[in-house]
Amino acid sequence: MFTGIVREKGRVVSAELNGDGRSLTLRIAAPQTAAATSLGDSVSVAGCCLTAVAADDGELLFEAVPESLARTTIAKLGEGTQVNLEPALRAGDPLGGHYVQGHVDGVGGVRSLESEGDGARLWLDVPPDLLRYCVEKGSLAVDGVSLTIAAIDDRGVGIALVPHTLRETTLSALESGDGVNLETDVLAKYVERLAKR
């Protein structure tokens, strides 16, 4: 379980497809996160919950399986790419964002990112099967960042990014056409399923 509050921007050291190309070994330089991570710990990497298989010398090692590669942008990460990192929530930690599982629902596309005062307005195209879970002033995790939806149209959502988010996450580097990992509010999915029964 995560909160969508990014704790560190890591840098991809290597991303190597294994054997048949269906899994990927990912090495990330992240001194702060690595120092607090043990073998088997969960870490949100660009919004995708991955299990640390090693953490030493300021680096983290992960193995991403076919399910993760099929549903996220992890397979497109290359050497030098920055990624948002968040260690798993621990008992007693403040819940500053919203409940985020790190179970990416799908990939959205950046429509635009434009300055808006000291912040910016991010518009994302969201797949229709995920857009139905989006509501104005509701929560959406984008590349692991807990964000509040400011506007909705028939193609996606608009999000107001504050200066702190632009400084502390990878979102300021997004460009039109980029893919982003999306996780909708888990509560909305449960409500829908229960209502159908």
Side-chain angles (χ1 to χ4, degrees):
M1 184 69 70
F2 307 95
T3 68
I5 303 299
V6 172
R7 299 302 178 191
E8 184 176 15
K9 284 190 283 189
R11 179 182 51 81
V12 175
V13 175
S14 62
E16 300 175 0
L17 288 171
N18 303 317
D20 59 5
R22 290 170 47 92
S23 63
L24 179 131
T25 299
L26 185 63
R27 183 175 294 278
I28 298 174
Q32 294 174 354
T33 306
T37 300
S38 300
L39 179 68
D41 283 356
S42 294
V43 178
S44 171
V45 179
C48 181
C49 179
L50 297 177
T51 301
V53 297
D56 52 48
D57 296 326
E59 294 183 349
L60 297 159
L61 188 68
F62 304 96
E63 293 173 353
V65 297
E67 175 72 7
S68 297
L69 300 182
R71 286 186 180 260
T72 73
T73 62
I74 294 292
K76 295 182 179 179
L77 294 177
E79 182 180 342
T81 304
Q82 287 194 315
V83 289
N84 297 318
L85 299 175
E86 181 190 357
L89 185 66
R90 299 182 189 277
D93 285 351
L95 183 61
H98 71 281
Y99 289 113
V100 177
Q101 295 181 298
H103 302 162
V104 174
D105 292 308
V107 175
V110 175
R111 190 188 310 171
S112 64
L113 176 64
E114 298 178 356
S115 295
E116 191 174 69
D118 291 334
R121 176 73 55 148
L122 174 65
W123 274 97
L124 300 173
D125 290 329
V126 177
D129 60 325
L130 301 183
L131 188 57
R132 72 176 188 259
Y133 298 121
C134 296
V135 296
E136 192 171 324
K137 304 305 178 189
S139 298
L140 180 68
V142 178
D143 276 352
V145 184
S146 174
L147 299 170
T148 301
I149 296 168
I152 298 179
D153 65 16
D154 60 351
R155 291 171 46 205
V157 298
I159 297 167
L161 300 178
V162 299
H164 178 81
T165 300
L166 292 170
R167 283 192 307 271
E168 301 299 323
T169 74
T170 63
L171 300 184
S172 63
L174 291 175
E175 297 180 352
S176 178
D178 285 348
V180 289
N181 294 321
L182 300 177
E183 181 184 336
T184 58
D185 191 344
V186 65
L187 299 178
K189 290 180 278 188
Y190 278 117
V191 167
E192 179 186 63
R193 185 161 179 81
L194 290 169
K196 282 183 177 178
R197 292 184 180 179

